[in-house]
Amino acid sequence: MEQFNPDVLISEDEISLRLDELAKAINQDFAGEEVVLICVLKGAFMFCSDLMKKISLPVKLEFMQLSSYGDKMSSSGNVKVMLDVTGSIKGKNVIVIEDIVDTGLTLKTLLEILKKRDPKAVKLASLLYKPARNTHPVDIDYLGFEIEDKFVIGYGLDYAGRYRELPYIGVINAGN
Ligand code: IMP
């Protein structure tokens, strides 16, 4: 079986400190209100879980899953909703929790779908953003880290379904 030893790009401690800042901004922006976090599966599960623990507002959790890259390292350009939220988001403060905005196609499509459901607000939290490959601009309200055009794994992100369990963001280098 193919096995890589990834290099650490963003450490566990760096992630935790940045999440403190993102949660603080969310707590301030929505002070006194309830928020619904929509965790975009599968990649955002760890980010969502850790961020949610740092949010001090009344919070509800939903999941959505969109068609993914499969085993490839680039987008097919085809986005489908595979799993939808279970409750209505009408009149609610929604924060979409995503692992990474790459081309932006997935998020742009998802935000269009959610806005049609008449929420009070829709904000986007993304752990990572790769500006080099962005063809569908989206506003990221709560951004963890901007990164170079490298394929990253760990902290929920996968390559061919693997490496999601790593507690840091790593980079696969050809040859190791
Ligand atoms: P986009 O539609 O091109 O922005 O792709 C977004 C999705 O592609 C993310 O939610 C990830 O699941 C996946 N993806 C994009 N870049 C990477 C990467 O570097 N590592 C792992 N998954 C990625």
Side-chain angles (χ1 to χ4, degrees), residues 2 20 23 35 43-44 56 58 67 73 75 79 85 88 100 123 138 155:
E2 217 176 9
D20 286 341
V35 293
S56 55
S67 51
M73 283 198 186
S75 175
V79 180
V85 296
S88 167
I100 183 166
K123 301 282 183 191
V138 286
Y155 200 70

PDB file of all heavy atoms in Angstrom, residues 2 20 23 35 43-44 56 58 67 73 75 79 85 88 100 123 138 155:
ATOM      1  N   GLU A   2       0.458   2.235  -0.822  1.00  0.00           N
ATOM      2  CA  GLU A   2       1.188   3.504  -0.907  1.00  0.00           C
ATOM      3  C   GLU A   2       1.181   4.202   0.458  1.00  0.00           C
ATOM      4  O   GLU A   2       0.143   4.314   1.081  1.00  0.00           O
ATOM      5  CB  GLU A   2       0.447   4.391  -1.904  1.00  0.00           C
ATOM      6  CG  GLU A   2       1.329   5.234  -2.762  1.00  0.00           C
ATOM      7  CD  GLU A   2       0.493   6.017  -3.782  1.00  0.00           C
ATOM      8  OE1 GLU A   2      -0.749   6.012  -3.694  1.00  0.00           O
ATOM      9  OE2 GLU A   2       1.102   6.628  -4.644  1.00  0.00           O
ATOM     10  N   ASP A  20      -9.051  29.777  17.965  1.00  0.00           N
ATOM     11  CA  ASP A  20      -9.450  30.667  19.063  1.00  0.00           C
ATOM     12  C   ASP A  20      -9.876  32.015  18.490  1.00  0.00           C
ATOM     13  O   ASP A  20     -10.881  32.597  18.906  1.00  0.00           O
ATOM     14  CB  ASP A  20      -8.270  30.921  20.022  1.00  0.00           C
ATOM     15  CG  ASP A  20      -7.962  29.718  20.897  1.00  0.00           C
ATOM     16  OD1 ASP A  20      -8.833  28.849  21.042  1.00  0.00           O
ATOM     17  OD2 ASP A  20      -6.835  29.664  21.432  1.00  0.00           O
ATOM     18  N   ALA A  23     -13.219  31.731  16.448  1.00  0.00           N
ATOM     19  CA  ALA A  23     -14.359  31.585  17.357  1.00  0.00           C
ATOM     20  C   ALA A  23     -14.684  32.914  18.044  1.00  0.00           C
ATOM     21  O   ALA A  23     -15.850  33.267  18.224  1.00  0.00           O
ATOM     22  CB  ALA A  23     -14.067  30.504  18.394  1.00  0.00           C
ATOM     23  N   VAL A  35     -26.686  30.296  16.282  1.00  0.00           N
ATOM     24  CA  VAL A  35     -26.130  30.002  14.958  1.00  0.00           C
ATOM     25  C   VAL A  35     -26.301  28.522  14.616  1.00  0.00           C
ATOM     26  O   VAL A  35     -26.338  27.663  15.498  1.00  0.00           O
ATOM     27  CB  VAL A  35     -24.618  30.368  14.857  1.00  0.00           C
ATOM     28  CG1 VAL A  35     -24.402  31.865  14.943  1.00  0.00           C
ATOM     29  CG2 VAL A  35     -23.784  29.639  15.891  1.00  0.00           C
ATOM     30  N   GLY A  43     -14.457  16.466   4.732  1.00  0.00           N
ATOM     31  CA  GLY A  43     -13.200  17.136   5.074  1.00  0.00           C
ATOM     32  C   GLY A  43     -13.255  18.090   6.247  1.00  0.00           C
ATOM     33  O   GLY A  43     -12.251  18.304   6.917  1.00  0.00           O
ATOM     34  N   ALA A  44     -14.441  18.704   6.506  1.00  0.00           N
ATOM     35  CA  ALA A  44     -14.510  19.755   7.543  1.00  0.00           C
ATOM     36  C   ALA A  44     -14.837  19.214   8.930  1.00  0.00           C
ATOM     37  O   ALA A  44     -14.972  19.991   9.869  1.00  0.00           O
ATOM     38  CB  ALA A  44     -15.528  20.815   7.138  1.00  0.00           C
ATOM     39  N   SER A  56     -19.156  30.166  22.012  1.00  0.00           N
ATOM     40  CA  SER A  56     -19.895  30.274  23.276  1.00  0.00           C
ATOM     41  C   SER A  56     -21.331  30.760  23.066  1.00  0.00           C
ATOM     42  O   SER A  56     -21.936  31.295  23.975  1.00  0.00           O
ATOM     43  CB  SER A  56     -19.142  31.195  24.234  1.00  0.00           C
ATOM     44  OG  SER A  56     -18.908  32.438  23.621  1.00  0.00           O
ATOM     45  N   PRO A  58     -25.490  29.890  21.612  1.00  0.00           N
ATOM     46  CA  PRO A  58     -26.354  28.731  21.377  1.00  0.00           C
ATOM     47  C   PRO A  58     -26.094  28.245  19.946  1.00  0.00           C
ATOM     48  O   PRO A  58     -26.147  29.042  19.004  1.00  0.00           O
ATOM     49  CB  PRO A  58     -27.771  29.291  21.518  1.00  0.00           C
ATOM     50  CG  PRO A  58     -27.624  30.637  22.141  1.00  0.00           C
ATOM     51  CD  PRO A  58     -26.257  31.133  21.831  1.00  0.00           C
ATOM     52  N   SER A  67     -20.615  16.267  -3.839  1.00  0.00           N
ATOM     53  CA  SER A  67     -19.767  15.340  -4.592  1.00  0.00           C
ATOM     54  C   SER A  67     -18.321  15.799  -4.475  1.00  0.00           C
ATOM     55  O   SER A  67     -18.034  16.993  -4.482  1.00  0.00           O
ATOM     56  CB  SER A  67     -20.176  15.306  -6.049  1.00  0.00           C
ATOM     57  OG  SER A  67     -20.252  16.617  -6.541  1.00  0.00           O
ATOM     58  N   MET A  73      -6.717  14.472  -7.698  1.00  0.00           N
ATOM     59  CA  MET A  73      -6.213  15.640  -6.983  1.00  0.00           C
ATOM     60  C   MET A  73      -6.736  16.940  -7.590  1.00  0.00           C
ATOM     61  O   MET A  73      -6.254  18.011  -7.275  1.00  0.00           O
ATOM     62  CB  MET A  73      -4.688  15.651  -6.973  1.00  0.00           C
ATOM     63  CG  MET A  73      -4.075  14.681  -5.974  1.00  0.00           C
ATOM     64  SD  MET A  73      -2.377  15.123  -5.655  1.00  0.00           S
ATOM     65  CE  MET A  73      -1.808  13.801  -4.640  1.00  0.00           C
ATOM     66  N   SER A  75     -10.462  19.049  -9.352  1.00  0.00           N
ATOM     67  CA  SER A  75     -11.916  19.009  -9.404  1.00  0.00           C
ATOM     68  C   SER A  75     -12.436  18.597 -10.765  1.00  0.00           C
ATOM     69  O   SER A  75     -11.876  18.955 -11.799  1.00  0.00           O
ATOM     70  CB  SER A  75     -12.464  20.397  -9.057  1.00  0.00           C
ATOM     71  OG  SER A  75     -13.850  20.398  -9.218  1.00  0.00           O
ATOM     72  N   VAL A  79     -20.673  19.454  -9.347  1.00  0.00           N
ATOM     73  CA  VAL A  79     -21.022  19.449  -7.922  1.00  0.00           C
ATOM     74  C   VAL A  79     -22.450  18.955  -7.714  1.00  0.00           C
ATOM     75  O   VAL A  79     -23.384  19.474  -8.311  1.00  0.00           O
ATOM     76  CB  VAL A  79     -20.891  20.868  -7.318  1.00  0.00           C
ATOM     77  CG1 VAL A  79     -21.255  20.877  -5.851  1.00  0.00           C
ATOM     78  CG2 VAL A  79     -19.484  21.403  -7.510  1.00  0.00           C
ATOM     79  N   VAL A  85     -29.184  19.055   4.802  1.00  0.00           N
ATOM     80  CA  VAL A  85     -29.525  19.338   6.204  1.00  0.00           C
ATOM     81  C   VAL A  85     -30.875  18.710   6.546  1.00  0.00           C
ATOM     82  O   VAL A  85     -31.696  18.482   5.660  1.00  0.00           O
ATOM     83  CB  VAL A  85     -29.580  20.866   6.476  1.00  0.00           C
ATOM     84  CG1 VAL A  85     -28.221  21.502   6.282  1.00  0.00           C
ATOM     85  CG2 VAL A  85     -30.605  21.562   5.592  1.00  0.00           C
ATOM     86  N   SER A  88     -35.058  23.074   8.751  1.00  0.00           N
ATOM     87  CA  SER A  88     -35.174  24.291   7.942  1.00  0.00           C
ATOM     88  C   SER A  88     -34.162  25.327   8.412  1.00  0.00           C
ATOM     89  O   SER A  88     -33.901  25.457   9.607  1.00  0.00           O
ATOM     90  CB  SER A  88     -36.594  24.853   8.084  1.00  0.00           C
ATOM     91  OG  SER A  88     -36.637  26.165   7.558  1.00  0.00           O
ATOM     92  N   ILE A 100     -11.558  23.536   2.815  1.00  0.00           N
ATOM     93  CA  ILE A 100     -10.656  24.298   1.942  1.00  0.00           C
ATOM     94  C   ILE A 100     -11.430  24.864   0.747  1.00  0.00           C
ATOM     95  O   ILE A 100     -12.312  24.190   0.198  1.00  0.00           O
ATOM     96  CB  ILE A 100      -9.479  23.401   1.466  1.00  0.00           C
ATOM     97  CG1 ILE A 100      -8.479  24.182   0.605  1.00  0.00           C
ATOM     98  CG2 ILE A 100      -9.942  22.164   0.742  1.00  0.00           C
ATOM     99  CD1 ILE A 100      -7.137  23.453   0.378  1.00  0.00           C
ATOM    100  N   LYS A 123     -22.900  32.849   6.400  1.00  0.00           N
ATOM    101  CA  LYS A 123     -21.474  33.180   6.463  1.00  0.00           C
ATOM    102  C   LYS A 123     -20.679  31.926   6.135  1.00  0.00           C
ATOM    103  O   LYS A 123     -21.185  30.801   6.258  1.00  0.00           O
ATOM    104  CB  LYS A 123     -21.084  33.666   7.861  1.00  0.00           C
ATOM    105  CG  LYS A 123     -21.849  34.888   8.325  1.00  0.00           C
ATOM    106  CD  LYS A 123     -21.320  36.132   7.689  1.00  0.00           C
ATOM    107  CE  LYS A 123     -22.029  37.365   8.208  1.00  0.00           C
ATOM    108  NZ  LYS A 123     -21.721  38.556   7.419  1.00  0.00           N
ATOM    109  N   VAL A 138     -15.373  33.459  -3.814  1.00  0.00           N
ATOM    110  CA  VAL A 138     -16.382  33.471  -2.742  1.00  0.00           C
ATOM    111  C   VAL A 138     -15.795  34.277  -1.579  1.00  0.00           C
ATOM    112  O   VAL A 138     -14.577  34.289  -1.380  1.00  0.00           O
ATOM    113  CB  VAL A 138     -16.755  32.054  -2.225  1.00  0.00           C
ATOM    114  CG1 VAL A 138     -17.627  31.305  -3.201  1.00  0.00           C
ATOM    115  CG2 VAL A 138     -15.527  31.238  -1.863  1.00  0.00           C
ATOM    116  N   TYR A 155      -5.908  16.694   9.284  1.00  0.00           N
ATOM    117  CA  TYR A 155      -6.896  17.519   9.983  1.00  0.00           C
ATOM    118  C   TYR A 155      -8.230  17.488   9.212  1.00  0.00           C
ATOM    119  O   TYR A 155      -8.878  18.493   8.994  1.00  0.00           O
ATOM    120  CB  TYR A 155      -6.378  18.955  10.164  1.00  0.00           C
ATOM    121  CG  TYR A 155      -7.100  19.703  11.263  1.00  0.00           C
ATOM    122  CD1 TYR A 155      -6.925  19.361  12.598  1.00  0.00           C
ATOM    123  CD2 TYR A 155      -7.992  20.722  10.961  1.00  0.00           C
ATOM    124  CE1 TYR A 155      -7.606  20.021  13.605  1.00  0.00           C
ATOM    125  CE2 TYR A 155      -8.681  21.391  11.966  1.00  0.00           C
ATOM    126  CZ  TYR A 155      -8.473  21.036  13.281  1.00  0.00           C
ATOM    127  OH  TYR A 155      -9.162  21.691  14.273  1.00  0.00           O
TER     128      TYR A 155
END
